[in-house]
Every structure is written in C-alpha cells, then in structure tokens.
Amino acid sequence: CDAATDLMSPPGEDEVLDDDVRPWELRGGEVGITVRDDFGFPVQPQLVVQYLKSKQQREDSLPRTKLCWKKFLAADGEVRGGKVRNSKRISRFILEDGVYPPIRRQVWSALCKVDELRENSCSDYYHQLHEKYNEANPQIDKDIHRTFPNHTFFQSQFGAGALRRILNAYATYNPQLGYCQSMNYIAGLLLIVLKDEELVFWIMVAIVNQYLPDYFSRSLLGSLVDTKVFGIVLHDKFPKLSQHLQHVGYPLDVISTKWFMCLFAEAGIPTETLLWIWDSFFLVGADQLIYVALSAFRLLEKDLMKCQEPEDVRHILRDQPMYFVDAQGLMKGCRTIRS
C-alpha cells in the first residue's frame, strides 16, 4: 500500500522542526555531556554502555517491528483514516513492543482522536488561542525554563517560545482550568517527539480533558484517587513491601505529582522506555499509570525493603528509574500485573 509505505518512511532532516533546527545540537558549550539519546536528552555517564547496547538491540528488532506496523497501516489494517480500530492484535503489539518510532505521530493522533477534536475548529484556531493573554501567563513563564533544564531545546528562544505558545493556548482553551504545573513536562516531551505545536496542543486537550479528567483541577482529585488505588493494589500484590513502606513512613501520594500527573516524564526514566509507557497509556488509559508504577515498585522492591527512612525511599524512587534502560522488564511487569 503506497500510503502505508509513505508513513513507514523515517522522517527526513527537514522534518525535525519547522525552522530546520535540530534542538539537541544547540549545545551552547556544554561540558561533560558527551552522549545524548535520540531525542536530545543526556544519558547518565554510568549508563552509556548499557544505553548503547539497548539501542543496538532496538535497532536490530526494527525490521520485524516495521513489517508488523505496515500491516496495521494497510488498507484493511487497524490504523486508517485517522482512527485506530481496537483489536487484540494491535493492542498486544503496542503493549509488548511499543509503536514503531517513525509513525508514533500518526498512531498517537489516532488513539487520541485528534481529527474528531479539531473538526469543528477553524484553520487558525490554535493561533487565535495562543495569541490571547490569560491569567496563567505569569506562571507559565516561570515554568518554561524549569522544563527539562538539561535539554538544550528548552533553553533556546525557539524551544521556549514553542512551549509557551502551547501552554498559553490550552489555558485559553480551558479558562476554568487554565494551567497546572506538570502540564509543562507533558507538552515539552510531546513537542520533542511530535515536532508540531498544533498537534501537541490537541493531544494536550485529549490528555487533560479525556484521559485524565480531574487530574489537574485545583483539588487534584483524579491523581489523588489513582494514587489511593495504587496503594490498595500495592498492598494486595506486594503486601510485605506495602507494610514496610508504611512502617518507614513514606507517603505514597508523593508519586502522584512526580509520576502520575506528568505521565512519568519527570521520573528520570530513559526516554525510549518513557515513550513506550506513553504508547501503552494512549491505548489503555489512566489505569496504565498504575500498572507502570506497580511494575516499577516490583523491580525496586529489593532496594526499597532496605530503606529505613522516608528519605531513603525518595532517593531510590528519584535515582533508580534511570536504570530502566531496557524497557522489557518494566513493561512485562505491567502485563503480568494486569493479568
């Protein structure tokens, strides 16, 4: 199928960003950072060898992955016309392998039903929204340069401007909610992956309004409820670990901001692993955040059981996720917990 073949072709150099700037090449004289991942985020020095090995393994599996996604994109496949026909075949493949990177844009757009969201808006609707001033502008301006400070794109005028416009547009689109901290991390990662401001805006609409209703309200009710559910399931699946964390005095609601509200974007998880988490989130919904958190705690259980103080737990949850370079263990754990 010609259409499928076009979608499966990797993006050209001129498609990286609208003005031909490759954000991760705006290094600005950095010292000590020699390795960045495919999305421009620095790789921790102690993980470089593991990262490069994992990257090679991913590249070796791409031909098989590409072939499978060609079938999904064919005329009679599951992804067509801006929509995804839910089936056991595509669901299993996303959960077990993730989305083929060159077509993430198309698949995420389809899963989020972007065409339906934008069908009643005029062609310059996004421009109209981001041009308007709203009460959230001062807070947005404060958070722009706090967003992924180790990524050169957001320290550039171009990147900061793009992120500001997206967040301003959403705050204008939904004035009752406006802007909430952690939205900047979601929009920032979407911008790096999708390289399209207007598309990022509409996917933000889908995430905040449909996938995570009440997560970003003043009460943060949605994220607090899911954190409570996480605690209950953690006690059911891993009772010894749950009891130990209670004994140590670590409050589980801390992860609602660092993990759930920003979709793990601020959790220190390697980018390729994080994007697989997002692939599954767009397929499954908010429940997938709980499955991922449970799988992460399962992988960290041995270290967490050694903790004697809440600060010990915070240290583990802050630093250890960076070692999830090989996403297979984390995502396999999600599938095991779901079954």
Side-chain angles (χ1 to χ4, degrees), residues 111-125:
L111 288 170
C112 292
K113 301 179 180 178
V114 167
D115 287 350
E116 294 181 18
L117 291 173
R118 72 198 326 172
E119 64 182 355
N120 294 321
S121 62
C122 56
S123 59
D124 65 341
Y125 184 57

Side-chain angles (χ1 to χ4, degrees), residues 196-216:
D196 181 327
E197 286 184 39
E198 185 177 356
L199 178 57
V200 170
F201 162 73
W202 285 112
I203 290 185
M204 284 289 294
V205 171
I207 290 172
V208 178
N209 294 14
Q210 298 177 5
Y211 281 91
L212 302 175
D214 296 327
Y215 253 61
F216 303 96

Side-chain angles (χ1 to χ4, degrees), residues 259-295:
W259 287 18
F260 291 170
M261 288 189 65
C262 64
L263 307 184
F264 293 91
E266 203 185 358
I269 294 175
T271 314
E272 287 82 358
T273 303
L274 179 61
L275 295 182
W276 191 354
I277 292 172
W278 283 30
D279 293 339
S280 62
F281 164 75
F282 287 127
L283 175 72
V284 176
D287 286 353
Q288 186 67 8
L289 303 180
I290 297 175
Y291 298 137
V292 172
L294 289 166
S295 182

Side-chain angles (χ1 to χ4, degrees), residues 213-286:
D214 296 327
Y215 253 61
F216 303 96
S217 64
R218 290 187 178 182
S219 66
L220 306 179
L221 179 62
S223 63
L224 293 177
V225 167
D226 279 354
T227 304
K228 186 71 173 178
V229 172
F230 165 73
I232 293 172
V233 181
L234 180 70
H235 182 76
D236 179 58
K237 298 285 186 179
F238 311 105
K240 291 184 179 179
L241 176 58
S242 175
Q243 292 168 7
H244 180 70
L245 293 176
Q246 291 178 15
H247 176 74
V248 170
Y250 180 76
L252 290 178
D253 57 355
V254 172
I255 72 167
S256 68
T257 52
K258 291 291 185 180
W259 287 18
F260 291 170
M261 288 189 65
C262 64
L263 307 184
F264 293 91
E266 203 185 358
I269 294 175
T271 314
E272 287 82 358
T273 303
L274 179 61
L275 295 182
W276 191 354
I277 292 172
W278 283 30
D279 293 339
S280 62
F281 164 75
F282 287 127
L283 175 72
V284 176

